[in-house]
Amino acid sequence: MDKHDLALQHAMKALILIQDEIVNRMSSEGDQTPPERLVVLSIAYHNIGVEYEFLKKYQQALNAYKKAVINAETHLSASNLMTVNMKDVYDKAIKKIAE
């Protein structure tokens, strides 16, 4: 197995783990998910996008990058540095794929 295929598997496992954590916290009575855990969700989507892009699976990469941006905008702000960086990566990926 290629190291990027393995990295993609790890990134997907991380996404599943953080999603499970968020769902469990939301279903607990009165428990709120800390904002920093929601940011980790953006990072997980971003990491998946990076690996898909490396593997030349461009549509999957764009989908993951878009989810990262939407989540970051929702839980941080559009002007937050992390959000801006993720948006920049997404925009560059769109241009790269269009070439």
Short mmCIF file of all heavy atoms in Angstrom, two decimals, residues 3-46:
data_model
loop_
_atom_site.label_atom_id
_atom_site.label_comp_id
_atom_site.label_asym_id
_atom_site.label_seq_id
_atom_site.Cartn_x
_atom_site.Cartn_y
_atom_site.Cartn_z
N LYS A 3 2.14 5.07 0.63
CA LYS A 3 2.07 5.85 1.87
C LYS A 3 0.95 6.88 1.85
O LYS A 3 0.38 7.19 2.89
CB LYS A 3 3.42 6.52 2.16
CG LYS A 3 3.83 7.58 1.17
CD LYS A 3 5.17 8.18 1.55
CE LYS A 3 5.60 9.21 0.52
NZ LYS A 3 6.86 9.82 0.89
N HIS A 4 0.57 7.36 0.66
CA HIS A 4 -0.54 8.33 0.61
C HIS A 4 -1.90 7.64 0.73
O HIS A 4 -2.84 8.23 1.28
CB HIS A 4 -0.45 9.18 -0.66
CG HIS A 4 0.67 10.17 -0.59
ND1 HIS A 4 0.60 11.34 0.13
CD2 HIS A 4 1.92 10.12 -1.10
CE1 HIS A 4 1.74 11.98 0.05
NE2 HIS A 4 2.57 11.27 -0.69
N ASP A 5 -1.99 6.41 0.25
CA ASP A 5 -3.22 5.64 0.49
C ASP A 5 -3.38 5.40 1.99
O ASP A 5 -4.49 5.53 2.54
CB ASP A 5 -3.17 4.29 -0.23
CG ASP A 5 -3.31 4.43 -1.74
OD1 ASP A 5 -4.16 5.22 -2.18
OD2 ASP A 5 -2.56 3.75 -2.46
N LEU A 6 -2.29 5.07 2.65
CA LEU A 6 -2.32 4.84 4.10
C LEU A 6 -2.65 6.14 4.84
O LEU A 6 -3.45 6.14 5.78
CB LEU A 6 -0.97 4.29 4.57
CG LEU A 6 -0.87 3.89 6.04
CD1 LEU A 6 -1.92 2.84 6.39
CD2 LEU A 6 0.53 3.38 6.34
N ALA A 7 -2.05 7.24 4.40
CA ALA A 7 -2.34 8.54 5.02
C ALA A 7 -3.81 8.91 4.85
O ALA A 7 -4.44 9.45 5.77
CB ALA A 7 -1.45 9.62 4.43
N LEU A 8 -4.38 8.60 3.69
CA LEU A 8 -5.80 8.86 3.46
C LEU A 8 -6.65 8.03 4.42
O LEU A 8 -7.61 8.54 5.00
CB LEU A 8 -6.17 8.55 2.01
CG LEU A 8 -7.64 8.73 1.63
CD1 LEU A 8 -8.11 10.16 1.89
CD2 LEU A 8 -7.85 8.34 0.17
N GLN A 9 -6.30 6.77 4.60
CA GLN A 9 -7.04 5.92 5.55
C GLN A 9 -6.98 6.50 6.96
O GLN A 9 -8.00 6.52 7.66
CB GLN A 9 -6.48 4.50 5.54
CG GLN A 9 -6.90 3.69 4.36
CD GLN A 9 -6.43 2.24 4.47
OE1 GLN A 9 -5.83 1.83 5.46
NE2 GLN A 9 -6.72 1.46 3.45
N HIS A 10 -5.80 6.97 7.36
CA HIS A 10 -5.66 7.55 8.70
C HIS A 10 -6.49 8.83 8.83
O HIS A 10 -7.12 9.06 9.87
CB HIS A 10 -4.19 7.83 9.02
CG HIS A 10 -3.40 6.59 9.29
ND1 HIS A 10 -3.52 5.86 10.45
CD2 HIS A 10 -2.47 5.95 8.55
CE1 HIS A 10 -2.71 4.83 10.42
NE2 HIS A 10 -2.05 4.85 9.27
N ALA A 11 -6.47 9.64 7.78
CA ALA A 11 -7.25 10.88 7.82
C ALA A 11 -8.75 10.58 7.91
O ALA A 11 -9.49 11.26 8.64
CB ALA A 11 -6.94 11.74 6.58
N MET A 12 -9.19 9.57 7.21
CA MET A 12 -10.61 9.18 7.27
C MET A 12 -10.97 8.63 8.64
O MET A 12 -12.06 8.91 9.15
CB MET A 12 -10.93 8.18 6.17
CG MET A 12 -10.94 8.79 4.80
SD MET A 12 -11.35 7.54 3.56
CE MET A 12 -11.66 8.58 2.16
N LYS A 13 -10.07 7.87 9.23
CA LYS A 13 -10.32 7.37 10.59
C LYS A 13 -10.41 8.53 11.58
O LYS A 13 -11.26 8.53 12.47
CB LYS A 13 -9.22 6.40 11.02
CG LYS A 13 -9.32 5.05 10.36
CD LYS A 13 -8.20 4.12 10.81
CE LYS A 13 -8.23 2.82 10.07
NZ LYS A 13 -7.11 1.93 10.44
N ALA A 14 -9.55 9.52 11.40
CA ALA A 14 -9.58 10.70 12.28
C ALA A 14 -10.91 11.43 12.13
O ALA A 14 -11.50 11.87 13.12
CB ALA A 14 -8.42 11.63 11.96
N LEU A 15 -11.39 11.53 10.89
CA LEU A 15 -12.68 12.18 10.66
C LEU A 15 -13.80 11.42 11.36
O LEU A 15 -14.65 12.02 12.03
CB LEU A 15 -12.95 12.26 9.15
CG LEU A 15 -14.31 12.84 8.76
CD1 LEU A 15 -14.43 14.29 9.19
CD2 LEU A 15 -14.52 12.71 7.26
N ILE A 16 -13.80 10.11 11.23
CA ILE A 16 -14.84 9.30 11.88
C ILE A 16 -14.78 9.47 13.39
O ILE A 16 -15.82 9.63 14.05
CB ILE A 16 -14.69 7.82 11.48
CG1 ILE A 16 -15.06 7.65 10.00
CG2 ILE A 16 -15.55 6.91 12.36
CD1 ILE A 16 -14.67 6.30 9.42
N LEU A 17 -13.59 9.46 13.95
CA LEU A 17 -13.45 9.61 15.41
C LEU A 17 -13.96 10.96 15.89
O LEU A 17 -14.68 11.02 16.90
CB LEU A 17 -11.99 9.40 15.82
CG LEU A 17 -11.47 7.97 15.71
CD1 LEU A 17 -9.96 7.94 15.96
CD2 LEU A 17 -12.20 7.05 16.67
N ILE A 18 -13.62 12.02 15.18
CA ILE A 18 -14.07 13.35 15.63
C ILE A 18 -15.58 13.49 15.43
O ILE A 18 -16.27 14.09 16.27
CB ILE A 18 -13.27 14.50 14.98
CG1 ILE A 18 -13.56 15.84 15.67
CG2 ILE A 18 -13.52 14.63 13.50
CD1 ILE A 18 -13.11 15.93 17.09
N GLN A 19 -16.11 12.93 14.34
CA GLN A 19 -17.56 12.97 14.15
C GLN A 19 -18.28 12.21 15.25
O GLN A 19 -19.28 12.69 15.78
CB GLN A 19 -17.93 12.39 12.78
CG GLN A 19 -17.60 13.29 11.62
CD GLN A 19 -17.85 12.63 10.28
OE1 GLN A 19 -17.75 11.41 10.13
NE2 GLN A 19 -18.18 13.43 9.29
N ASP A 20 -17.76 11.04 15.60
CA ASP A 20 -18.36 10.27 16.70
C ASP A 20 -18.33 11.05 18.01
O ASP A 20 -19.31 11.07 18.75
CB ASP A 20 -17.64 8.93 16.89
CG ASP A 20 -17.99 7.90 15.84
OD1 ASP A 20 -18.98 8.11 15.09
OD2 ASP A 20 -17.29 6.87 15.78
N GLU A 21 -17.20 11.68 18.28
CA GLU A 21 -17.09 12.47 19.50
C GLU A 21 -18.11 13.60 19.53
O GLU A 21 -18.79 13.82 20.54
CB GLU A 21 -15.69 13.06 19.63
CG GLU A 21 -15.51 13.93 20.85
CD GLU A 21 -14.17 14.64 20.90
OE1 GLU A 21 -13.18 14.11 20.35
OE2 GLU A 21 -14.11 15.72 21.51
N ILE A 22 -18.26 14.29 18.42
CA ILE A 22 -19.21 15.41 18.34
C ILE A 22 -20.64 14.92 18.51
O ILE A 22 -21.42 15.50 19.28
CB ILE A 22 -19.02 16.19 17.02
CG1 ILE A 22 -17.68 16.94 17.06
CG2 ILE A 22 -20.17 17.16 16.78
CD1 ILE A 22 -17.24 17.51 15.73
N VAL A 23 -20.99 13.83 17.83
CA VAL A 23 -22.34 13.28 17.95
C VAL A 23 -22.62 12.84 19.38
O VAL A 23 -23.69 13.12 19.93
CB VAL A 23 -22.55 12.11 16.95
CG1 VAL A 23 -23.82 11.33 17.27
CG2 VAL A 23 -22.58 12.63 15.53
N ASN A 24 -21.66 12.17 20.00
CA ASN A 24 -21.85 11.73 21.39
C ASN A 24 -22.03 12.90 22.33
O ASN A 24 -22.86 12.84 23.25
CB ASN A 24 -20.67 10.86 21.83
CG ASN A 24 -20.70 9.49 21.19
OD1 ASN A 24 -21.74 9.01 20.76
ND2 ASN A 24 -19.53 8.87 21.08
N ARG A 25 -21.26 13.95 22.12
CA ARG A 25 -21.40 15.14 22.98
C ARG A 25 -22.75 15.81 22.77
O ARG A 25 -23.38 16.28 23.71
CB ARG A 25 -20.29 16.14 22.72
CG ARG A 25 -18.97 15.77 23.31
CD ARG A 25 -17.93 16.83 22.95
NE ARG A 25 -16.63 16.49 23.44
CZ ARG A 25 -16.10 16.95 24.58
NH1 ARG A 25 -16.78 17.78 25.32
NH2 ARG A 25 -14.90 16.58 24.96
N MET A 26 -23.19 15.87 21.51
CA MET A 26 -24.47 16.52 21.21
C MET A 26 -25.64 15.73 21.76
O MET A 26 -26.65 16.31 22.15
CB MET A 26 -24.62 16.71 19.70
CG MET A 26 -23.67 17.75 19.13
SD MET A 26 -23.71 17.83 17.34
CE MET A 26 -25.27 18.65 17.08
N SER A 27 -25.51 14.40 21.79
CA SER A 27 -26.61 13.58 22.28
C SER A 27 -26.65 13.50 23.81
O SER A 27 -27.66 13.11 24.38
CB SER A 27 -26.56 12.18 21.67
OG SER A 27 -25.40 11.51 22.08
N SER A 28 -25.54 13.87 24.45
CA SER A 28 -25.53 13.90 25.91
C SER A 28 -26.40 15.05 26.39
O SER A 28 -26.47 16.09 25.76
CB SER A 28 -24.11 14.10 26.44
OG SER A 28 -23.30 13.02 26.10
N GLU A 29 -27.06 14.84 27.46
CA GLU A 29 -27.99 15.85 27.98
C GLU A 29 -27.27 17.14 28.32
O GLU A 29 -26.41 17.19 29.20
CB GLU A 29 -28.72 15.32 29.21
CG GLU A 29 -29.85 16.20 29.65
CD GLU A 29 -30.63 15.57 30.77
OE1 GLU A 29 -30.81 14.34 30.75
OE2 GLU A 29 -31.05 16.32 31.65
N GLY A 30 -27.57 18.20 27.59
CA GLY A 30 -27.04 19.53 27.88
C GLY A 30 -25.56 19.72 27.59
O GLY A 30 -24.99 20.74 27.93
N ASP A 31 -24.91 18.76 26.97
CA ASP A 31 -23.47 18.88 26.73
C ASP A 31 -23.21 19.61 25.42
O ASP A 31 -23.78 19.29 24.40
CB ASP A 31 -22.83 17.49 26.70
CG ASP A 31 -21.32 17.56 26.85
OD1 ASP A 31 -20.79 18.64 27.14
OD2 ASP A 31 -20.69 16.51 26.68
N GLN A 32 -22.34 20.59 25.47
CA GLN A 32 -21.96 21.37 24.30
C GLN A 32 -20.59 20.91 23.80
O GLN A 32 -19.70 20.64 24.60
CB GLN A 32 -21.88 22.86 24.66
CG GLN A 32 -23.21 23.48 25.01
CD GLN A 32 -24.07 23.71 23.78
OE1 GLN A 32 -23.56 23.87 22.68
NE2 GLN A 32 -25.37 23.72 23.97
N THR A 33 -20.43 20.86 22.50
CA THR A 33 -19.13 20.51 21.92
C THR A 33 -18.24 21.74 21.97
O THR A 33 -18.63 22.80 21.48
CB THR A 33 -19.30 20.04 20.47
OG1 THR A 33 -20.18 18.92 20.46
CG2 THR A 33 -17.96 19.67 19.86
N PRO A 34 -17.05 21.62 22.55
CA PRO A 34 -16.13 22.76 22.56
C PRO A 34 -15.78 23.19 21.14
O PRO A 34 -15.58 22.33 20.26
CB PRO A 34 -14.88 22.23 23.29
CG PRO A 34 -15.34 21.01 24.01
CD PRO A 34 -16.49 20.45 23.21
N PRO A 35 -15.72 24.49 20.88
CA PRO A 35 -15.43 24.99 19.52
C PRO A 35 -14.14 24.42 18.93
O PRO A 35 -14.08 24.15 17.73
CB PRO A 35 -15.33 26.50 19.71
CG PRO A 35 -16.08 26.80 20.95
CD PRO A 35 -15.96 25.57 21.81
N GLU A 36 -13.14 24.19 19.77
CA GLU A 36 -11.87 23.68 19.23
C GLU A 36 -12.03 22.28 18.66
O GLU A 36 -11.30 21.88 17.75
CB GLU A 36 -10.75 23.73 20.26
CG GLU A 36 -10.96 22.87 21.48
CD GLU A 36 -11.69 23.55 22.63
OE1 GLU A 36 -12.21 24.67 22.45
OE2 GLU A 36 -11.75 22.94 23.70
N ARG A 37 -12.98 21.50 19.15
CA ARG A 37 -13.23 20.16 18.61
C ARG A 37 -13.89 20.27 17.23
O ARG A 37 -13.66 19.46 16.35
CB ARG A 37 -14.09 19.32 19.55
CG ARG A 37 -13.49 19.12 20.93
CD ARG A 37 -12.06 18.66 20.92
NE ARG A 37 -11.93 17.31 20.41
CZ ARG A 37 -10.81 16.79 19.91
NH1 ARG A 37 -9.71 17.51 19.87
NH2 ARG A 37 -10.78 15.56 19.45
N LEU A 38 -14.72 21.30 17.05
CA LEU A 38 -15.34 21.52 15.76
C LEU A 38 -14.32 21.97 14.72
O LEU A 38 -14.43 21.65 13.54
CB LEU A 38 -16.48 22.53 15.89
CG LEU A 38 -17.64 22.06 16.77
CD1 LEU A 38 -18.57 23.21 17.10
CD2 LEU A 38 -18.38 20.92 16.12
N VAL A 39 -13.30 22.69 15.18
CA VAL A 39 -12.21 23.11 14.29
C VAL A 39 -11.42 21.89 13.83
O VAL A 39 -11.00 21.81 12.66
CB VAL A 39 -11.31 24.15 14.98
CG1 VAL A 39 -10.09 24.46 14.14
CG2 VAL A 39 -12.09 25.43 15.26
N VAL A 40 -11.25 20.92 14.71
CA VAL A 40 -10.53 19.68 14.35
C VAL A 40 -11.25 18.99 13.19
O VAL A 40 -10.61 18.39 12.33
CB VAL A 40 -10.38 18.75 15.57
CG1 VAL A 40 -9.84 17.39 15.17
CG2 VAL A 40 -9.49 19.40 16.62
N LEU A 41 -12.56 19.11 13.14
CA LEU A 41 -13.33 18.54 12.03
C LEU A 41 -12.89 19.17 10.70
O LEU A 41 -12.70 18.46 9.71
CB LEU A 41 -14.82 18.77 12.28
CG LEU A 41 -15.80 18.11 11.34
CD1 LEU A 41 -15.69 16.59 11.40
CD2 LEU A 41 -17.22 18.55 11.69
N SER A 42 -12.69 20.47 10.69
CA SER A 42 -12.21 21.16 9.48
C SER A 42 -10.83 20.65 9.08
O SER A 42 -10.56 20.42 7.89
CB SER A 42 -12.12 22.68 9.70
OG SER A 42 -13.38 23.23 9.88
N ILE A 43 -9.98 20.47 10.06
CA ILE A 43 -8.62 19.98 9.79
C ILE A 43 -8.67 18.57 9.20
O ILE A 43 -7.93 18.25 8.26
CB ILE A 43 -7.77 20.06 11.07
CG1 ILE A 43 -7.58 21.51 11.49
CG2 ILE A 43 -6.42 19.36 10.86
CD1 ILE A 43 -7.02 21.69 12.89
N ALA A 44 -9.55 17.74 9.73
CA ALA A 44 -9.67 16.38 9.22
C ALA A 44 -10.12 16.39 7.75
O ALA A 44 -9.54 15.68 6.92
CB ALA A 44 -10.64 15.57 10.08
N TYR A 45 -11.13 17.20 7.44
CA TYR A 45 -11.56 17.31 6.05
C TYR A 45 -10.44 17.82 5.15
O TYR A 45 -10.22 17.33 4.04
CB TYR A 45 -12.77 18.24 5.92
CG TYR A 45 -14.09 17.60 6.26
CD1 TYR A 45 -14.90 18.14 7.25
CD2 TYR A 45 -14.56 16.48 5.58
CE1 TYR A 45 -16.12 17.57 7.57
CE2 TYR A 45 -15.78 15.90 5.89
CZ TYR A 45 -16.55 16.46 6.88
OH TYR A 45 -17.77 15.88 7.19
N HIS A 46 -9.70 18.81 5.64
CA HIS A 46 -8.59 19.37 4.87
C HIS A 46 -7.53 18.29 4.59
O HIS A 46 -7.05 18.16 3.46
CB HIS A 46 -7.96 20.55 5.63
CG HIS A 46 -6.73 21.07 4.99
ND1 HIS A 46 -6.76 21.93 3.91
CD2 HIS A 46 -5.43 20.83 5.25
CE1 HIS A 46 -5.51 22.20 3.54
NE2 HIS A 46 -4.70 21.55 4.34
#
